[in-house]
Amino acid sequence: AIRHWETLAELSDGDDKIEVTRRAGAQAFYAGRWEQAEGIFEKVRKLAAADDRIEAGVLSNLASVYRMTGRAKEAGEANARALAIHRKLDDRRNVAVVLGNIANAQRERGETEQAEENYRTAIALYHEVGDRKAAGVVLGNLAVIFRTTGQPKLYRETLEEALALHIETGDRRSEGVALLNLGAGYNDTADYEQAEQVFNRALSIFREVGYRRAEAVVLNNLALLYGLTGKTAEAVDVFEQVLAMSREEGDLWSEGVCLSNLARVHVESGQSDKAEQAFEQALEIHRKTNNRPEQGVVLSGLAGLYTDTRRFAPAELSYVEAIDIHRAGRKPRFEGHTLCHLALHTVAHGHVA
């Protein structure tokens, strides 16, 4: 699909060339090909150097690439420049878009108060311009704050509010996403039966609308649920489905995340060799795509596996590398979690020179 858009761009000119090139960048982004996406978006900036509106949109695209590759500082700068342009143009809808993007990054860094404020401002702006569909999407993002801060009741209530807007506006994709997140909340509270029911509702919607990537995400969650409830064979089966889908679509991001989750199921079932192989394959993909946040997550998992199999030196090295990645990406929650594991490792086994 990416090559299709790039070929079409070569045959186009003027505004059509800009739009088609940008779509090629979006395809690369959603396939987890961050370096390729960044190069294409930079090409769009050069093509539209005199158009402030397009410049602001591409800056937002680049900010998303920077965020996914752990470059928090560059993401913040790109979003700030995009926001300034939209405010200059008095484009309230796109001010809301960028505020939502900024809030996403703040939420990931643990800056929950600032994130909540920006989400609520974005929601108000969307209502002002009559975009209830987008307001529902941002409500769903706001709900995630309540999940990470341990407020399950508020999390569910906010998602139910978002879900009502999605149903009202006929936004089936976002309806599925809200159900997926509701399922994750039920998972958190060990209400596995309810979680499975909601995940299956989301899965049905994504299959209906042909949203393959989201279908893979739901299947990942179902597989993790099966792993948590001791259904190891079912979990591995579903992960294999997701891997096949991801490889068919060329979606490296989904493939890497799936391999990491599969490794955790193997760890829980005591299959260390299979777990290590899956972790290493995931890490190779995330290094290839320069997906720094996921590299940190996988390195933490590998470190735990090395500790369990009494390979203390590589465990410490993996913990330290993971911490460096989380710190550089300004993800204090992940950094703190990994620091705790490293501290426990050090207390139990001593410092490895």
Side-chain angles (χ1 to χ4, degrees):
I2 302 166
R3 185 60 200 148
H4 164 78
W5 287 111
E6 287 185 313
T7 302
L8 189 56
E10 289 166 9
L11 300 171
S12 306
D13 54 27
D15 289 346
D16 286 344
K17 187 180 188 73
I18 292 169
E19 176 58 26
V20 171
T21 306
R22 189 170 173 184
R23 288 194 184 192
Q27 286 289 332
F29 179 84
Y30 288 119
R33 301 175 185 274
W34 319 123
E35 188 174 345
Q36 186 179 9
E38 184 174 348
I40 295 171
F41 288 139
E42 288 291 1
K43 190 184 295 184
V44 177
R45 286 187 73 190
K46 289 176 185 173
L47 289 169
D51 190 317
D52 280 352
R53 195 177 298 277
I54 295 175
E55 165 81 359
V58 177
L59 282 167
S60 291
N61 294 141
L62 284 167
S64 296
V65 173
Y66 299 148
R67 174 176 156 229
M68 294 304 294
T69 52
R71 289 175 284 171
K73 183 173 181 289
E74 291 95 325
E77 290 169 352
N79 273 325
R81 285 158 61 198
L83 186 61
I85 293 170
H86 290 312
R87 281 179 168 155
K88 182 181 77 171
L89 297 171
D90 193 27
D91 185 344
R92 287 180 296 161
R93 188 189 182 284
N94 277 311
V95 166
V97 171
V98 179
L99 284 173
N101 292 339
I102 290 170
N104 288 337
Q106 289 170 327
R107 186 193 73 214
E108 290 174 358
R109 296 196 299 266
E111 299 166 7
T112 53
E113 288 184 14
Q114 300 95 314
E116 182 174 351
E117 182 181 345
N118 279 321
Y119 279 139
R120 292 194 184 281
T121 302
I123 291 164
L125 284 169
Y126 281 130
H127 280 299
E128 279 180 28
V129 300
D131 194 341
R132 292 172 67 77
K133 181 175 176 178
V137 172
V138 180
L139 266 171
N141 292 335
L142 172 62
V144 177
I145 290 179
F146 305 133
R147 181 184 179 197
T148 56
T149 54
Q151 302 177 75
K153 184 172 182 292
L154 194 50
Y155 175 64
R156 283 195 295 271
E157 287 172 353
T158 307
L159 280 175
E160 292 287 359
E161 187 180 348
L163 191 58
L165 281 174
H166 299 323
I167 292 169
E168 174 196 322
T169 58
D171 186 353
R172 293 288 278 166
R173 276 193 174 203
S174 295
E175 182 183 346
V177 171
L179 287 167
L180 167 62
N181 289 330
L182 269 175
Y186 287 124
N187 231 1
D188 291 344
T189 54
D191 191 347
Y192 299 128
E193 185 176 344
Q194 185 73 11
E196 185 172 0
Q197 289 175 8
V198 175
F199 282 146
N200 279 314
R201 285 173 62 195
L203 186 61
S204 175
I205 289 172
F206 292 141
R207 284 176 171 164
E208 172 196 321
V209 300
Y211 193 1
R212 294 273 287 172
R213 192 175 198 204
E215 182 183 341
V217 173
V218 179
L219 287 169
N220 248 311
N221 278 273
L222 275 169
L224 285 170
L225 185 152
Y226 295 147
L228 285 169
T229 53
K231 301 175 183 175
T232 305
E234 291 94 326
V236 172
D237 249 6
V238 176
F239 278 133
E240 292 295 344
Q241 288 180 49
V242 178
L243 282 173
M245 288 171 61
S246 301
R247 287 164 180 162
E248 181 186 334
E249 297 288 318
D251 187 343
L252 292 173
W253 182 88
S254 292
E255 183 181 351
V257 170
C258 180
L259 283 164
S260 179
N261 289 335
L262 175 59
R264 286 180 173 79
V265 169
H266 286 319
V267 168
E268 291 299 318
S269 62
Q271 300 183 74
S272 299
D273 289 346
K274 288 184 177 180
E276 186 170 348
Q277 182 182 27
F279 272 138
E280 287 176 348
Q281 288 174 347
L283 187 58
E284 182 182 353
I285 288 171
H286 295 317
R287 290 200 197 281
K288 179 180 177 182
T289 58
N290 195 28
N291 189 340
R292 298 278 288 168
E294 288 296 334
Q295 287 175 40
V297 171
V298 174
L299 283 163
S300 295
L302 265 174
L305 181 62
Y306 291 147
T307 299
D308 292 343
T309 52
R310 304 189 65 77
R311 287 173 285 171
F312 304 130
E316 181 173 346
L317 290 172
S318 295
Y319 278 133
V320 169
E321 187 179 354
I323 290 163
D324 287 343
I325 288 171
H326 295 319
R327 186 171 293 153
R330 294 168 68 186
K331 294 184 178 291
R333 188 162 62 91
F334 288 103
E335 181 188 346
H337 182 76
T338 311
L339 276 167
C340 286
H341 280 287
L342 176 59
L344 290 169
H345 170 89
T346 305
V347 167
H349 309 293
H351 177 72
V352 181

